């Protein structure tokens, strides 16, 4: 018997993930199906409060909907599921969807943290801290990388934040350095500590494919909005290739999402950056936008946009891993 489509009304402040979770739908596949079913109902900024939306099917039909004729035989088995407290209660469950990144090791380093909130942007009566938004994109990226079978180390960790579907992320100072070390106030000491840990782990994983991604939020003049851009070491061809693969995805996605606005983010050399210069793993340093610019702030305060950043970075990482030699 065909399952009757369920319709629900979005509340003020809802994003796709919060609406779905309220109705017991939590997987990335549910998000994909929801967007497909409601393509004509979604506004330019996502959900519209008061508008009715169709929920994806649940139960047997939901499982069948995610299968394709080309899926391998093992796809019929229940994928492995783990729980990671770092992502918070709503996102703690991580279901491995495929093994596209099996064997890849990633070190994710979000900017600043602990006693240093980084750049600050004014958003109405609120202040937006760089470290909170860089961290949220980072843990979202970690979550999706795990879904593709990667090994992931989150170098800055907050014991109680998790992935947050809020516009304004409160600033706190309780982040720690992996595995559980106090973050120094001194930037030099902080980066030295962080990269020393990355390099220690790098030696443990030997000849495995390993990459470092440093995620930051820029601070320029209030009137300057910027696209996501990427730095690599001038003498590291693998870092350059990684940066280009991620940049290629961003260029393509911007062309699709905003066809009337050219994407100006670029890839360039910056060998003076501590993480890029000293990491034994090929590294890419990313600036996600200007925390002080009103247009760029939309990239950060809308949870769906933070998730899109994580998803697009992951697409670039998958492309780079698939093309490794």
């Amino acid at each position: 018997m065909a399952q009757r489509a369920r319709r629900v009304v979005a509340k003020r402040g809802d994003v796709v993930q919060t609406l779905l979770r309220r109705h017991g739908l939590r997987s990335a596949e549910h998000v994909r199906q929801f967007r497909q079913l409601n393509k004509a109902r979604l506004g330019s900024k996502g959900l519209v409060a008061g508008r009715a939306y169709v929920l994806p099917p649940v139960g047997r039909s939901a499982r069948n909907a995610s299968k394709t004729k080309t899926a391998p035989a093992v796809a019929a088995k229940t994928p492995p599921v783990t729980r990671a407290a770092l992502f918070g209660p709503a996102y703690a469950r991580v279901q491995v969807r495929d093994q596209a990144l099996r064997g890849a090791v990633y070190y994710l380093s979000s900017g600043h943290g602990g006693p240093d909130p980084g750049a600050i942007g004014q958003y109405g009566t609120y202040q937006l801290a760089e470290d909170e938004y860089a961290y949220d994109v980072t843990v979202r990226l970690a979550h999706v990388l795990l879904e593709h079978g990667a090994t992931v180390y989150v170098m800055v960790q907050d014991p109680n934040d998790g992935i947050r579907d809020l516009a304004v992320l409160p600033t706190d100072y309780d982040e720690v350095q992996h595995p559980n070390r106090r973050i120094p106030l001194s930037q030099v000491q902080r980066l030295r500590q962080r990269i020393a840990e990355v390099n220690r782990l790098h030696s443990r994983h030997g000849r495995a494919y390993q990459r470092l991604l440093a995620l930051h939020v820029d601070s320029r003049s209030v009137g300057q909005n910027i696209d996501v851009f990427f730095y690599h070491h001038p003498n590291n061809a693998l870092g350059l290739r990684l940066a280009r693969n991620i940049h290629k995805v961003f260029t393509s996605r911007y062309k699709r999402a905003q066809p009337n606005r050219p994407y100006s983010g670029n890839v360039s050399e910056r060998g003076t950056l501590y993480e890029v210069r000293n990491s034994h793993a090929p590294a890419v340093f990313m600036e996600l936008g200007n925390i002080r610019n009103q247009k760029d702030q939309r990239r950060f305060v809308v949870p769906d946009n933070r998730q899109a950043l994580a998803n697009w970075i992951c697409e670039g990482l998958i492309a780079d891993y698939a093309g490794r030699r």
Side-chain angles (χ1 to χ4, degrees):
M1 180 181 295
Q3 188 178 48
R4 179 178 299 177
R6 295 187 295 165
R7 292 180 179 271
V8 295
V9 176
K11 299 179 180 179
R12 184 177 179 83
D14 268 345
V15 296
V16 173
Q17 285 89 343
T18 55
L19 178 68
L20 290 176
R21 285 205 306 275
R22 191 158 62 241
H23 296 278
L25 304 172
R26 298 176 179 272
S27 73
E29 178 63 18
H30 288 139
V31 174
R32 188 195 66 77
Q33 292 177 10
F34 179 89
R35 293 188 184 283
Q36 185 64 33
L37 289 168
N38 297 281
K39 188 181 300 183
R41 297 181 178 87
L42 294 171
S44 60
K45 298 178 181 178
L47 299 180
V48 178
R51 183 174 293 179
Y53 294 94
V54 178
L55 290 179
V58 295
R60 183 184 301 275
S61 58
R63 290 194 297 272
N64 290 341
S66 64
K67 296 178 184 177
T68 65
K69 293 181 180 179
T70 58
V74 294
K77 298 179 181 179
T78 303
V81 175
T82 60
R83 296 191 69 82
L86 183 66
F87 300 132
Y91 289 91
R93 186 174 182 272
V94 181
Q95 185 168 5
V96 179
R97 295 186 286 159
D98 57 50
Q99 296 295 332
L101 292 173
R102 182 180 181 181
V105 181
Y106 296 101
Y107 307 99
L108 306 184
S109 174
S110 56
H112 305 274
D116 178 14
I120 301 294
Q122 195 67 35
Y123 182 70
T125 59
Y126 299 100
Q127 289 190 327
L128 309 180
E130 171 185 0
D131 70 325
E132 300 297 339
Y133 289 90
Y135 180 75
D136 193 71
V137 174
T138 297
V139 287
R140 289 174 185 272
L141 174 59
H143 195 284
V144 73
L145 290 174
L146 290 173
E147 290 179 343
H148 292 292
T151 297
V152 182
Y153 293 95
V154 180
M155 304 313 299
V156 175
Q157 301 184 1
D158 191 298
N160 49 38
D161 277 353
I163 295 173
R164 294 171 286 176
D165 288 324
L166 301 171
V168 177
L169 301 180
T171 304
D172 59 27
Y173 305 92
D174 59 349
E175 294 88 3
V176 296
Q177 167 69 53
H178 178 278
N180 189 25
R181 299 180 64 188
R182 183 183 65 84
I183 296 177
L185 177 60
S186 163
Q187 181 184 28
V188 173
Q189 292 179 18
R190 181 167 62 243
L191 294 176
R192 184 178 295 146
Q193 177 192 77
R194 192 170 305 178
I195 294 305
E197 177 66 7
V198 168
N199 291 341
R200 184 186 71 81
L201 294 167
H202 182 272
S203 64
R204 177 194 296 178
H205 286 282
R207 298 176 64 85
Y209 172 102
Q210 304 183 60
R211 299 294 186 267
L212 167 69
L213 289 121
L215 278 67
H216 288 250
V217 177
D218 204 359
S219 176
R220 304 191 180 192
S221 68
V222 174
Q224 185 176 6
N225 65 300
I226 61 173
D227 286 324
V228 180
F229 57 96
F230 312 86
Y231 294 126
H232 65 94
H233 195 280
N235 298 325
N236 194 306
L238 296 179
L240 170 60
R241 190 188 72 181
L242 179 63
R244 284 176 171 170
N245 275 320
I246 305 173
H247 177 262
K248 184 176 180 180
V249 171
F250 272 72
T251 303
S252 171
R253 294 293 175 265
Y254 262 83
K255 188 176 295 184
R256 182 185 304 173
Q258 301 183 46
N260 298 321
R261 186 178 81 82
Y263 173 68
S264 61
N266 58 26
V267 174
S268 58
E269 299 176 353
R270 186 68 72 85
T272 57
L273 293 169
Y274 189 95
E275 291 172 288
V276 170
R277 186 176 74 248
N278 293 286
S279 169
H280 292 173
V284 172
F285 186 105
M286 301 180 56
E287 292 284 9
L288 303 177
N290 183 359
I291 196 73
R292 299 177 63 200
N293 179 266
Q294 188 174 19
K295 290 182 179 178
D296 279 9
Q297 285 175 346
R298 296 279 317 160
R299 196 176 304 158
F300 303 119
V301 299
V302 177
D304 277 358
N305 290 346
R306 300 198 295 270
Q307 186 62 50
L309 288 170
N311 293 345
W312 294 358
I313 296 169
C314 181
E315 286 186 52
L317 297 181
I318 290 174
D320 190 76
Y321 189 57
R324 70 193 183 281
R325 292 189 297 272

